[in-house]
């Protein structure tokens, strides 16, 4: 397994982002290509989970678009990722908060964690 | 070189220059040695035999030990012969070949190996049959069945080679046209896009 790790570390550019975990509300800025133009788009939502380890780690964020839930999964080391902004730290008891999918309205609130 | 022998290490994913996430297999290709060169005059055809993986002198049979001694190399665990088919190689017996001499990034290779054993499998998994009919509407126990295996009183038998359930996997499998993503000369590693047959640490043959 060591050699796989070696390849990952050798050929992936790791990114530095502030630490965040499940329950936090974050804004992710990433580049998208439209034809041959490039622009930055953002996606703001609640982090549901962080998954995997090392250079192949990913995180899932969920937002409500109107009354439809939208989830996106981002690899932490994706080259198109520009910036991660933490908007709110949430107080949750587990590392993966999938119960959030079933909740709407008042029940979907996450208590803020004061640092 | 027409081909090399390597060891499958495992899978991961890497980003390419366009930002796409590619599934990759890491193959360790320690320097292979040339153990014999066959020529049209002496053997009737042109080929090169290469060896991979060190083994102990005392684990080598006398016949093989003599063969290695003739080439002037230490005993190897795996030998493989590649026909040259007009390929011009200026190699001597005993020469070492490393990955970076063999392929470069962006080239395409074929990788063959022994696939993982799957045990006794039905026709849906083994041959890709669709099963019979529906799952509901009163249908009973035909979901993954093979269906008809032939006509009745004429020919009164099942034709040879009829695809049926049975042992699956553990056979030599070739995956063609895998793109070489990275070649690491320092650690003798080869990274190809996609999957490669066999479990981790199994021996694979890489050909161009």
């Amino acid at each position: 397994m060591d050699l796989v790790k070696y390849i990952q570390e050798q050929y992936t550019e790791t990114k530095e982002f502030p630490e965040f975990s499940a329950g936090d509300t974050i804004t992710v800025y990433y580049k998208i290509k439209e034809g041959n133009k490039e622009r930055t788009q953002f996606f703001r939502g609640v982090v549901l989970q962080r998954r995997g380890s090392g250079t192949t780690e990913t995180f899932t964020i969920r937002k409500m678009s109107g009354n439809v839930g939208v989830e996106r999964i981002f690899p932490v080391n994706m080259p198109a990722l520009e910036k991660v902004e933490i908007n709110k730290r949430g107080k949750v008891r587990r590392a993966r908060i999938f119960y959030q999918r079933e909740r709407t309205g008042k029940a979907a609130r996450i208590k803020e964690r004061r640092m | 070189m027409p081909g090399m022998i390597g060891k499958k290490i495992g899978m991961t994913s890497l980003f390419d220059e366009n930002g796409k996430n590619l599934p990759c297999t890491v193959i360790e290709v320690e320097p292979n040695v040339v153990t014999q060169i066959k020529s049209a005059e002496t053997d009737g055809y042109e080929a090169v035999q290469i060896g991979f993986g060190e083994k102990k002198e005392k684990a080598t049979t006398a016949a093989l030990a003599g063969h290695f001694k003739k080439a002037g190399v230490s005993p190897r665990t795996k030998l493989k012969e590649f026909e040259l088919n007009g390929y011009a190689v200026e190699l001597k017996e005993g020469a070492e070949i490393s990955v970076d001499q063999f392929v470069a990034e962006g080239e395409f290779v074929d990788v063959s190996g022994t696939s993982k054993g799957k045990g006794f499998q039905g026709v849906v998994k083994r041959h890709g049959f669709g099963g019979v009919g529906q799952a509901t509407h009163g249908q009973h126990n035909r979901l993954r069945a093979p269906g008809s295996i032939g006509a009745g009183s004429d020919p009164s038998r099942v034709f040879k080679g009829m695809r049926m359930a049975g042992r699956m996997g553990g056979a030599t499998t070739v995956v063609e046209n895998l793109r070489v993503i990275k070649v690491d000369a320092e650690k003798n590693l080869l990274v190809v896009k996609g999957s490669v047959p066999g479990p981790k640490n199994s021996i694979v043959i890489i050909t161009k």
Side-chain angles (χ1 to χ4, degrees), chain A residues 6-8 11 56 77-79, chain B residues 12-13 15 182 184 187 191:
Chain A
Y6 168 82
I7 286 287
Q8 286 173 345
Y11 299 111
T56 53
N77 293 311
M78 185 168 84
Chain B
T12 180
S13 68
F15 290 96
K182 291 279 185 278
D184 191 309
K187 295 239 172 188
V191 184

Side-chain angles (χ1 to χ4, degrees), chain A residues 17-22 24 26 47 50 59 61 76 84 86 89:
Chain A
F17 294 127
E19 237 173 76
F20 59 87
S21 59
D24 296 349
I26 61 172
V47 179
R50 292 188 70 139
F59 59 90
I61 47 181
V76 171
V84 172
I86 296 171
R89 299 265 183 196

Side-chain angles (χ1 to χ4, degrees), chain B:
Chain B
M1 273 313 286
M4 278 188 90
I5 311 169
K7 190 170 88 171
K8 176 174 169 180
I9 298 294
M11 290 193 73
T12 180
S13 68
L14 294 175
F15 290 96
D16 69 359
E17 59 281 359
N18 300 323
K20 270 187 105 178
N21 202 359
L22 306 174
C24 305
T25 308
V26 182
I27 303 168
E28 188 180 16
V29 191
E30 280 170 356
N32 291 180
V33 290
V34 179
T35 48
Q36 194 183 359
I37 290 174
K38 297 195 172 177
S39 62
E41 297 92 67
T42 53
D43 307 280
Y45 62 104
E46 298 214 321
V48 57
Q49 186 192 65
I50 59 172
F52 170 85
E54 302 259 351
K55 71 173 175 181
K56 280 182 188 161
E57 193 86 51
K58 71 175 181 192
T60 316
T61 59
L64 261 180
H67 181 65
F68 289 122
K69 204 175 167 192
K70 200 175 162 194
V73 297
S74 57
R76 304 285 154 156
T77 50
K78 176 85 184 166
L79 292 176
K80 173 82 187 160
E81 188 177 297
F82 295 101
E83 271 203 53
L84 287 178
N85 294 329
Y87 236 107
V89 241
E90 301 94 36
L91 284 171
K92 282 197 192 106
E93 289 182 0
E96 276 201 347
I97 322 144
S98 58
V99 234
D100 51 324
Q101 290 171 324
F102 171 56
V103 279
E105 280 171 31
E107 287 184 328
F108 289 87
V109 291
D110 299 343
V111 179
S112 72
T114 308
S115 62
K116 281 183 182 175
K118 305 286 191 300
F120 192 97
Q121 294 297 334
V123 288
V124 174
K125 188 182 174 82
R126 192 173 183 220
H127 299 298
F129 285 13
V132 175
Q134 293 170 305
T136 58
H137 289 290
Q139 181 68 280
H140 175 60
N141 75 21
R142 306 291 298 152
L143 193 60
R144 296 178 72 87
S148 168
I149 53 167
S153 34
D154 182 16
S156 284
R157 65 190 176 89
V158 174
F159 289 123
K160 267 192 173 174
M162 183 63 60
R163 291 178 295 168
M164 290 193 188
R167 288 276 185 99
M168 186 186 169
T172 303
T173 310
V174 189
V175 183
E176 292 180 331
N177 288 328
L178 297 174
R179 199 170 87 222
V180 175
I181 292 179
K182 291 279 185 278
V183 177
D184 191 309
E186 193 187 327
K187 295 239 172 188
N188 299 314
L189 296 173
L190 177 70
V191 184
V192 294
K193 185 191 165 200
S195 56
V196 154
K200 286 172 193 169
N201 296 322
S202 61
I203 282 181
V204 290
I205 311 282
I206 307 141
T207 48
K208 268 211 273 206

Side-chain angles (χ1 to χ4, degrees), chain A residues 3-43:
Chain A
L3 289 172
V4 173
K5 227 176 181 174
Y6 168 82
I7 286 287
Q8 286 173 345
E9 280 160 12
Q10 201 78 0
Y11 299 111
T12 330
E13 280 179 48
T14 50
K15 305 226 169 188
E16 291 287 328
F17 294 127
E19 237 173 76
F20 59 87
S21 59
D24 296 349
T25 305
I26 61 172
T27 313
V28 176
Y29 294 86
Y30 57 98
K31 281 179 282 191
I32 56 161
K33 258 194 188 146
E34 278 172 341
N36 45 15
K37 259 197 287 181
E38 238 185 21
R39 70 187 178 88
T40 307
Q41 208 172 50
F42 69 90
F43 192 95

